[in-house]
Amino acid sequence: VALKRMLNFNVPPVKNSTGEPVWKILIYDRFGQDIISPLLSVKELRDMGITLHLLLHSDRDAIPDVPAVYFVMPTEENIDRMCQDLRNQLYESYYLNFISAISRSKLEDIANAAIGANAVTQVAKVFDQYLNFITLEDDMFVLCNQNKELVSYRAINRPDITDTEMETIMDTIVDSLFCFFVTLGAIPIIRCSRGTAAEMVAVKLDKKLRENLRDARNSLFTGDTLGAGQFSFQRPLLVLVDRNIDLATPLHHTWTYQALVHDVLDFHLNRVNLEESTGMENSPAGARPKKKNKKSYDLTASDKFWQKHKGSPFPEVAESVQQELESYRAQEDEVKRLKSIMGIEGEDEGAISMLSDNTAKLTSAVSSLPELLEKKRLIDLHTNVATAVLEHIKSRKLDVYFEYEEKIMSKSTLDKSLLDMISDPDAGTPEDKMRLFLIYYISSAQAPSEIDLEQYKKALMDAGCNLAPLSYIKQWKAFTKMASAPTSYGNTTPKPLGLFSRVMNTGSQFVMEGVKNLVLKQQNLPVTRILDNLMEMKSNPETDDYRYFDPKMLRGSDSSVPRNKNPFQEAIVFVVGGGNYIEYQNLIDYIK
């Protein structure tokens, strides 16, 4: 909604206005591109009057009779480029929108350039949009995509990090979270664990929200925005979790569709890039191998199949794709049958009586053609994506890894030794083996003895693993207080349903033979458990000493005692150091 308002020159688009939109150009930087692309398609932009969308730092021709809407970060080089545009008189008028708030001094730079270029009247509006975060789903956002390594787990936990670097990282995170709440139009109540990076974020965010509320003239949380927020009467809870409370989950191999796509394929900002393997048979001997075709697919909110199955276990997804395909083929045959009947010459009696019967049928068939084509597109897309995932599962034995890790994490008895898994040359890449071993190391109550560890290390080295992660986890485990009570993941292991149903193996495109048909039992991961305690106001040693911030309270009293005893209706969970699709899915299942 905020983006559409911005593209409409910062006035809310009128629902029933007839007539053409105002034609305009959109100019963004990479940050702006990342924010817009998961949300608005090219067609939607066109419907809003955007004829061209260009990167700020590309060669752009002057189009003097068209207004330009800019959507960029207020960085030094972006501002220089905008000033240059003003001097070159590229466009009719300029609507400048900054993704994050622009500083006074930079604003003055633009003003000076505008005066110098005699273009003051053309700069129509300058807005801080507070949109410095990327929305990937109706209920999921990430901070950024461009410089994500700057706010990653590694950046925050580097042993040689300086205080100033840490401050910068925290400010970057807080800026995005602040934008998120401005856009929501809500002031959260903040809870966080003590002595972690999450606490630093909480303190800074509380301060920033507090200062904004006190500044009555310029507060972003007054008047029209607040009413528009969906939380008009009850405030949301913001739970800031530190990644270090649970390092096993992000390493864990997974079994649900969206998390698998993210783990094994190249999946960013809701777009998956696949390399299509081209057949070798038709190339003459000695010919150069063909270049692999790269295809990319968008997995979006409008994709009904994706929305329905992104949280399903993979075998279920394969079965559903197959069913969709069969129902599509039946519909397609029906259309073909009608076409052949309609093609009958009109002379003979029988055809004419059939005709009147069939006109009705045909009309309905034709009206469903666009739907049919869309259905076909989605089936092809998911057939390709699921096949690519399946290739990884089979070649790396990911079903075996998933099941084995679940057993380790839930402290069940293991059916084969970890050493065998690591030394099996057919199972997994070196990285898969490392992930498995790290999960074992993190989850074990006692660290393995030095003798055992040497044995494991040798096996890992033989398998081609880089041992650097292990030395980090070793120090981490020695350092974390958590080690005294390893995180429990519930004691549930996935139940194999036996191999796939016979139906599946015959006549399906997915040759699933040998892949285990594992079904998940619902259990709450640590992040979900923490949320549950804090939302429902349950007392639990895990969360009892979490700090409590309420930016609306006059004195910033640091009490861990919550003011209100009522459970929360809405919550936002943010993991400092990066959440993942496994946890996202787990939270969604918990809500259900």
Side-chain angles (χ1 to χ4, degrees):
V1 173
L3 284 174
K4 285 184 170 171
R5 181 155 89 195
M6 172 186 88
L7 295 175
N8 201 38
F9 304 125
N10 287 298
V11 285
V14 185
K15 280 283 184 297
N16 52 7
S17 63
T18 47
E20 293 286 285
V22 181
W23 298 111
K24 49 193 170 289
I25 294 178
L26 171 63
I27 291 164
Y28 46 46
D29 58 1
R30 295 255 176 243
F31 290 92
Q33 189 176 25
D34 289 342
I35 294 168
I36 293 173
S37 69
L39 292 172
L40 297 171
S41 65
V42 175
K43 181 188 175 304
E44 288 171 289
L45 289 176
R46 177 139 318 127
D47 292 344
M48 301 197 61
I50 305 288
T51 51
L52 272 179
H53 40 100
L54 305 164
L55 279 165
L56 176 66
H57 294 283
S58 59
D59 292 330
R60 291 174 280 114
D61 300 328
I63 311 179
D65 50 353
V66 172
V69 176
Y70 286 74
F71 183 50
V72 296
M73 286 294 262
T75 59
E76 208 63 64
E77 63 262 20
N78 283 354
I79 305 261
D80 289 349
R81 187 61 190 262
M82 290 159 96
C83 295
Q84 196 182 319
D85 288 355
L86 290 171
R87 283 194 287 274
N88 297 342
Q89 301 186 336
L90 288 189
Y91 307 114
E92 178 209 44
S93 52
Y94 304 83
Y95 292 80
L96 310 181
N97 297 281
F98 295 102
I99 296 171
S100 186
I102 184 172
S103 65
R104 182 71 200 234
S105 63
K106 287 184 179 148
L107 203 54
E108 285 169 4
D109 294 345
I110 297 178
N112 289 333
I115 293 168
N118 208 357
V120 177
T121 49
Q122 275 102 322
V123 180
K125 287 180 179 173
V126 180
F127 270 88
D128 285 333
Q129 288 294 348
Y130 294 102
L131 289 175
N132 192 12
F133 59 95
I134 298 175
T135 306
L136 294 178
E137 309 264 352
D138 290 345
D139 51 10
M140 179 185 178
F141 72 101
V142 293
L143 297 189
C144 57
N145 177 54
Q146 284 304 314
N147 297 347
K148 54 181 171 216
E149 63 287 347
L150 300 182
V151 291
S152 64
Y153 176 81
R154 182 168 177 272
I156 300 170
N157 293 281
R158 276 201 350 255
D160 56 348
I161 188 167
T162 64
D163 286 354
T164 38
E165 287 174 316
M166 192 64 169
E167 286 290 312
T168 313
I169 295 172
M170 295 297 123
D171 288 336
T172 310
I173 294 175
V174 168
D175 181 67
S176 283
L177 290 173
F178 180 76
C179 288
F180 176 81
F181 286 105
V182 171
T183 305
L184 259 192
I187 304 244
I189 281 171
I190 307 171
R191 302 293 306 265
C192 69
S193 50
R194 292 176 187 270
T196 58
E199 182 177 30
M200 297 169 73
V201 172
V203 171
K204 279 181 176 286
L205 183 61
D206 175 65
K207 179 165 179 276
K208 190 159 182 160
L209 287 164
R210 193 175 285 282
E211 284 168 0
N212 194 274
L213 284 168
R214 298 291 160 269
D215 178 3
R217 266 214 347 256
N218 300 313
S219 174
L220 298 159
F221 293 97
T222 49
D224 58 340
T225 49
L226 270 182
Q230 59 223 59
F231 309 112
S232 39
F233 52 94
Q234 206 199 14
R235 291 165 56 196
L237 166 73
L238 169 63
V239 180
L240 288 169
V241 181
D242 195 274
R243 183 68 277 165
N244 281 314
I245 60 139
D246 168 19
L247 274 183
T249 303
L251 294 166
H252 187 20
H253 288 87
T254 167
W255 199 234
T256 57
Y257 192 26
Q258 183 176 35
L260 267 168
V261 168
H262 182 254
D263 187 357
V264 304
L265 304 177
D266 171 16
F267 180 60
H268 291 290
L269 301 183
N270 294 348
R271 170 170 292 176
V272 62
N273 295 309
L274 289 185
E275 282 194 350
E276 302 222 306
S277 47
T278 42
M280 290 306 290
E281 57 277 7
N282 50 9
S283 56
R288 273 207 243 116
K290 288 208 192 112
K291 283 249 305 270
K292 286 195 167 177
N293 290 342
K294 271 216 176 316
K295 290 212 68 166
S296 65
Y297 302 103
D298 290 314
L299 298 170
T300 59
S302 59
D303 178 338
K304 292 199 183 67
F305 187 89
W306 177 244
Q307 287 311 317
K308 188 172 169 194
H309 293 291
K310 63 185 187 190
S312 311
F314 185 75
E316 234 173 81
V317 175
E319 213 156 331
S320 305
V321 173
Q322 190 58 29
Q323 286 162 0
E324 291 282 319
L325 188 64
E326 279 154 24
S327 84
Y328 165 75
R329 282 185 181 147
Q331 272 175 294
E332 196 182 36
D333 290 346
E334 175 68 358
V335 173
K336 281 189 183 142
R337 200 176 63 80
L338 288 170
K339 275 190 184 154
S340 69
I341 292 171
M342 298 311 271
I344 299 171
E345 298 304 286
E347 278 89 51
D348 82 50
E349 289 281 286
I352 289 179
S353 64
M354 279 171 74
L355 210 86
S356 51
D357 268 356
N358 279 307
T359 353
K361 278 193 190 164
L362 189 75
T363 335
S364 79
V366 170
S367 65
S368 66
L369 262 178
E371 272 173 52
L372 212 55
L373 290 171
E374 174 61 6
K375 201 170 180 179
K376 171 98 170 73
R377 185 183 74 80
L378 292 181
I379 293 169
D380 289 347
L381 184 160
H382 287 287
T383 305
N384 289 338
V385 173
T387 306
V389 172
L390 181 59
E391 279 168 15
H392 281 274
I393 293 177
K394 287 168 96 165
S395 66
R396 291 159 58 184
K397 296 196 179 166
L398 297 183
D399 48 338
V400 181
Y401 275 92
F402 165 70
E403 190 181 23
Y404 199 83
E405 289 164 359
E406 290 271 323
K407 284 182 178 161
I408 292 176
M409 288 161 82
S410 59
K411 315 260 185 292
S412 319
T413 42
L414 301 173
D415 47 354
K416 69 186 215 186
S417 84
L418 184 63
L419 213 51
D420 291 350
M421 286 280 291
I422 296 171
S423 348
D424 177 353
D426 299 330
T429 59
E431 189 181 76
D432 291 328
K433 296 180 177 182
M434 198 66 203
R435 280 164 63 175
L436 171 67
F437 185 71
L438 291 178
I439 290 173
Y440 163 72
Y441 194 89
I442 291 166
S443 308
S444 55
Q446 283 90 31
S449 68
E450 280 305 314
I451 306 166
D452 288 355
L453 194 59
E454 281 312 311
Q455 230 187 336
Y456 284 128
K457 275 186 171 170
K458 184 177 178 324
L460 287 164
M461 298 251 309
D462 292 347
C465 299
N466 168 1
L467 294 184
L470 180 57
S471 47
Y472 173 77
I473 290 288
K474 240 176 118 170
Q475 288 171 314
W476 173 84
K477 187 158 176 146
F479 181 75
T480 28
K481 299 190 278 293
M482 312 293 288
S484 53
T487 324
S488 86
Y489 292 91
N491 51 351
T492 49
T493 44
K495 296 272 177 289
L497 273 190
L499 293 175
F500 279 82
S501 51
R502 302 276 357 125
V503 194
M504 228 3 237
N505 286 339
T506 52
S508 163
Q509 293 160 289
F510 296 102
V511 186
M512 296 296 258
E513 274 166 57
V515 176
K516 297 185 177 193
N517 189 359
L518 301 166
V519 178
L520 298 166
K521 281 190 65 178
Q522 174 53 28
Q523 70 211 40
N524 288 342
L525 293 173
V527 170
T528 309
R529 273 209 315 275
I530 289 168
L531 172 79
D532 180 50
N533 294 339
L534 295 173
M535 266 190 101
E536 303 297 329
M537 300 288 173
K538 296 178 183 170
S539 173
N540 188 310
E542 203 174 7
T543 49
D544 282 348
D545 68 333
Y546 268 49
R547 288 187 64 177
Y548 177 96
F549 295 89
D550 181 348
K552 279 191 171 177
M553 299 297 282
L554 273 167
R555 290 179 312 288
S557 59
D558 166 45
S559 65
S560 43
V561 185
R563 289 273 170 285
N564 61 341
K565 287 281 175 274
N566 299 333
F568 285 89
Q569 296 303 308
E570 282 104 1
I572 291 108
V573 180
F574 184 77
V575 182
V576 179
N580 55 59
Y581 281 109
I582 305 180
E583 288 166 332
Y584 167 62
Q585 196 49 53
N586 195 252
L587 286 164
I588 290 180
D589 294 340
Y590 157 77
I591 298 162
K592 286 181 186 158

